Amino acid sequence: MSQTRFRGTDRYVATDDLMMAVNAAVTLGRPLLVKGEPGTGKTQLAEEVALALNRPFIQWHIKSTTKAQQGLYEYDAVSRLRDSQLGDARVHDIGNYIIKGKLWEAFTHELQPVLLIDEIDKADIEFPNDLLLELDRMEFHVYETQQLVKARHRPVIIITSNNEKELPDAFLRRCFFHYIRFPDPETMERIVRVHYPDLKKRLLSEALEAFFEIRDVPGLKKRPSTSELLDWIKLLVAEDIPPEALRGDAHKLIPPLHGALLKNEQDVHLFERLLFMSRRKKD
Amino acid sequence: MMTEFFRKLRQASIPVTLTEFLTLLEALNQRVTTHSIEEFYYLARATLVKDERHYDRFDQVFGSHFQGLETRFGEVVGATVPLEWLRKLAELTLSEDDKALIEALGGWEKLMETFAQRLAEQEGRHQGGNKWVGTAGTSPFGAYGYNPEGIRIGQDTSRHRRAVKVWDRREFRNLDDTVELGTRNIKVALRRLRRFAREGAAQELDLDDTIRSTARNAGYLELKMVPERHNAVKVLLFLDVGGSMDDHVRACEELFSAARGEFKHLEYFYFHNMIYEGLWKDNRRRYTEKIETLTVLRTFGADYKLILVGDATMSPYEITYPGGSVEHFNPEAGDVWLNRLLDIYSRAIWLNPQPQNRWSYVPSIQMVRELMGDRMYPLTLEGLEQGIRTLQRAR
Ligand SMILES: Nc1ncnc2c1ncn2[C@@H]1O[C@H](COP(=O)(O)OP(=O)(O)OP(=O)(O)O)[C@@H](O)[C@H]1O
Ligand SMILES: [Mg+2]
């Protein structure tokens, strides 16, 4: 069982603490709740765990209107009503109108899958509580067909949250928890490397330096995250920007193509104003 | 040693429960980690802490508790879990669900017995020439094959970090915000109010559910209603500005700015130190544009919930004497006005940005708290949550 420990993949950098959290959750068959700033790789994690452990991957993306029941199944009564008016024979088997949800899919998969419940905090505050019983017992009842759906294997469940709502205590008690800290420069370097293995060393280090300096600008509405950095580097490479162009601290020079890093107009203005002021001070 | 660690975590207000402690035991039992205290730290954190705001406190407790003992890890964690202690803890921390679960597993004795048994098996199976130094083989932790000699601190981490232990780096310090309220956590708390607002709101037709139910009902119409989705909660927010409050104005304004987005019916007014006959809406024009408090009370009905924010730190005269106000001559005393408010708004709380442990040293805080019938809460996320719970309770 434990020869399949998660250690990251060749496209995903996992820190030691993240590995531990994942492996504990996998070994004990309990859900792992992952939080962290936007763009810190929460969503991608589950996919990589599936890849690394060679498991099927099932994704359930949560929206504000998602109900827990939809993860189990839905009864399409409207179609059934229509079919009955049209005299369709299917109407006699209520099973024809039961639509399986992601949890059902995960429970009945041949192989033990990884189930991602993405952005659980988007749903109604009762959503996590409504799933407790099913996640505990790993089974549920289909009322319409008097059927019991039981998990063949305990799926590995990874849940992400952006902290929009607090989650109920009873739910938290059953999970392992990991907060993805914003990557430090070294970890970030490794992350960029897995995306751009051929990137020139100089360009990478200059880009990282400029990036972390911009992140440190006080008062930014939206600090650039990993995904923005990756986009920016892609542009730098595409435009063939030389490393020298990034050199010097960001307080003296607007980095080229900074629009990829600062997406909010106010932030761009703020940044330019700061640059302007610091230049004047130095003159 | 472990039980002591657990107790310290709870003392540091990290809400660890027995369920989680047992999960940690189980994880160790299943050898999720086997060789370094750093891994043990990660495992314990992932198991016991469910909120990044508590990471820093966890680090501190972990650091002080295991200080200097990293190299003798096997001994450190090797202590049996006393049954009696677990039982006491259970009374304090277990929910009814937890208790039922334990009963279902055969009760405490059985549970502990199973643990001991599993441990013994594990011990028997453990091979590979390593011997553990240290305490009893029955220990839930010492028995997992930690090799005290072989512990490598900071393995796999980068060079310059090796010197400092992870938990000593205090990387999560800025995430701990129990002390003051930030915009982020305040929103979470205020959402609870909003959710409450839906209860008892007007009903509207749920079209989807009506169709579904009608279909289920073989085509006979079955109407389904749901509470209206809009936010019906009504809040009157009174903010203390000026004077000794200045330090806290920022926190208040954050509360206020967070609140504005959350409520359809939010009315805010400013006061200074204590409520008297006049309030104002715009802090910059407080002397020119006073509104009569009575007008406010007449305008906003008893279905409004009242939230007062202030440090209640003043001279007792300002509360009990006519003319006691520092700014003007007030014909009626502050407590008269506060009682008048509370007579109308039965659901009311006072949020106080002063640290709670100072309250008992300030007579005026005691007085206001009494007037409020004890419904004074610190301006922290926790306090806010308690306050909101009080507001939600029907009176
Ligand atoms: N540790 C990592 N290793 C490799 N790539 C990463 C890592 N962290 C983030 N990324 C990259 O950053 C981008 C954003 O990742 P992802 O969408 O998983 O973030 P998220 O935390 O789910 O964000 P959001 O909160 O916005 O949903 C992806 O392109 C991903 O490949
Ligand atoms: Mg995501």
Side-chain angles (χ1 to χ4, degrees), chain B residues 277-326:
Chain B
E277 67 285 347
L279 300 162
W280 55 96
K281 270 221 93 108
D282 184 336
N283 194 26
R284 275 164 305 163
R285 275 169 288 173
R286 54 193 284 192
Y287 299 106
T288 50
E289 292 189 10
K290 260 204 176 139
I291 299 167
E292 280 191 33
T293 307
L294 276 180
T295 311
V296 174
L297 302 192
R298 263 189 239 114
T299 312
F300 303 104
D303 52 340
Y304 273 79
K305 299 175 180 62
L306 176 66
I307 302 178
L308 297 133
V309 187
D311 63 0
T313 302
M314 57 195 120
S315 112
Y317 293 112
E318 293 174 68
I319 301 175
T320 48
Y321 280 80
S325 165
V326 283

Side-chain angles (χ1 to χ4, degrees), chain B residues 19-134:
Chain B
T19 320
E20 285 146 328
F21 188 65
L22 293 179
T23 307
L24 180 61
L25 293 183
E26 199 185 329
L28 288 166
N29 199 18
Q30 299 213 24
R31 295 170 163 265
V32 172
T33 167
T34 44
H35 53 179
S36 78
I37 189 167
E38 198 160 87
E39 280 193 4
F40 172 70
Y41 159 76
Y42 291 142
L43 175 66
R45 198 182 69 190
T47 317
L48 304 176
V49 190
K50 302 300 161 68
D51 187 331
E52 68 276 14
R53 284 172 294 163
H54 298 153
Y55 271 9
D56 186 50
R57 267 179 268 163
F58 180 82
D59 285 359
Q60 291 177 65
V61 174
F62 192 95
S64 78
H65 189 72
F66 293 109
Q67 191 178 28
L69 294 167
E70 297 87 5
T71 48
R72 296 164 63 216
F73 187 47
E75 284 174 68
V76 171
V77 288
T80 44
V81 182
L83 188 58
E84 206 29 55
W85 177 84
L86 275 177
R87 221 189 248 119
K88 270 205 204 105
L89 184 82
E91 280 155 26
L92 293 176
T93 64
L94 282 189
S95 70
E96 288 310 312
D97 286 356
D98 294 334
K99 284 182 196 157
L101 181 73
I102 285 166
E103 281 320 306
L105 289 171
W108 281 109
E109 270 84 353
K110 185 86 184 83
L111 192 66
M112 286 300 118
E113 211 176 282
T114 318
F115 260 122
Q117 207 176 318
R118 276 209 224 141
L119 293 177
E121 285 166 18
Q122 199 93 61
E123 204 179 340
R125 259 190 268 127
H126 188 92
Q127 290 155 0
N130 297 340
K131 275 196 194 134
W132 328 292
V133 184

Side-chain angles (χ1 to χ4, degrees), chain A residues 11-15 18 36-45 118-119 160-162 180 183 187 190-192 194-195 225-228 230:
Chain A
R11 1 177 268 203
Y12 190 85
V13 176
T15 50
L18 177 58
E37 262 186 55
T40 41
K42 299 183 293 295
T43 302
Q44 207 194 336
L45 171 71
D118 206 11
E119 308 194 1
T160 77
S161 160
N162 273 329
I180 303 189
T187 310
R190 286 169 58 206
I191 294 176
V192 176
V194 302
H195 288 266
S225 72
T226 314
S227 30
E228 275 92 33
L230 293 173

